[in-house]
Amino acid sequence: ASVNENGNISTINFMDDDTPDVHIIKGNGLNILKSEGESVVGYDRIYIGAAVDSAELTNITKLLSPGGILVGPVEDELVKVIRTGVIAQGLEDDEGSDEAASLSGLNEEFTSQLLSGVRFAPLAMLPVIYTVIPSNVWNPSIRRFYPNEHRCASMALLMCSNSEIVQPLPRVP
């Protein structure tokens, strides 16, 4: 394997064709810019490997996409947070979500669950490095690294994009 460094991004290139490259981004996880790069669409999964306080957790959960899950230590508790999306006005919260929201300082857009008590070193807050996680642009050369369902769906979309046939809208019964 070889390592290439370009600014704050290091890439580990494996010599075989079956192993995807690994990208390591140097930065401060508390200062990820939410308006640029991959963060704009959000993440399906986030793992926090060091203790954060409730205020920091609130900022990190904003990086989750709807349905996304975050697991990490908040002070001395291991917490699982799910971004459920915005709850419609007028719906009553169930008893568990009120307790979870007060536990982590999150609003009704999130649910949280206390998994266990833990001891983690605190997440380093300094230096303040504003970090952009670059967007990954899909291209056919990396297609083989994606799951089969994704490959089939992307092939169907690519085949349909050049078609002159327009699919009719579904009929309303």
Side-chain angles (χ1 to χ4, degrees):
S2 65
V3 178
N4 298 325
E5 294 192 24
N6 182 8
N8 288 340
I9 300 176
S10 298
T11 303
I12 302 171
N13 299 306
F14 295 95
M15 298 305 167
D16 62 9
D17 289 336
D18 295 330
T19 307
D21 295 339
V22 175
H23 304 284
I24 300 170
I25 301 166
K26 179 183 177 186
N28 187 326
L30 297 175
N31 297 307
I32 295 175
L33 296 177
K34 297 167 191 69
S35 60
E36 295 181 39
E38 198 72 27
S39 300
V40 172
V41 295
Y43 299 98
D44 294 332
R45 302 291 183 266
I46 296 175
Y47 169 73
I48 304 171
V52 297
D53 64 27
S54 295
E56 294 162 345
L57 177 68
T58 302
N59 290 331
I60 296 171
T61 56
K62 293 176 184 175
L63 296 171
L64 285 171
S65 59
I69 299 172
L70 175 144
V71 175
V74 179
E75 294 154 4
D76 288 334
E77 299 173 335
L78 187 63
V79 176
K80 176 181 177 181
V81 177
I82 301 173
R83 185 172 197 164
T84 57
V86 178
I87 296 176
Q89 294 281 341
L91 293 179
E92 294 183 22
D93 293 335
D94 62 5
E95 188 175 307
S97 65
D98 288 341
E99 179 182 328
S102 65
L103 169 76
S104 60
L106 301 172
N107 63 25
E108 61 274 354
E109 188 176 352
F110 301 92
T111 62
S112 65
Q113 176 185 4
L114 174 64
L115 301 176
S116 71
V118 293
R119 294 273 184 195
F120 276 75
L123 190 64
M125 300 182 72
L126 298 174
V128 175
I129 302 172
Y130 293 102
T131 307
V132 174
I133 299 175
S135 298
N136 292 324
V137 178
W138 182 85
N139 68 58
S141 68
I142 60 171
R143 180 178 176 267
R144 68 180 179 274
F145 298 124
Y146 287 88
N148 189 45
E149 294 82 13
H150 181 272
R151 289 185 291 191
C152 291
S154 60
M155 180 60 74
L157 287 172
L158 290 172
M159 296 297 284
C160 292
S161 66
N162 291 327
S163 174
E164 293 181 15
I165 299 172
V166 176
Q167 184 170 348
L169 294 173
R171 295 182 188 178
V172 179

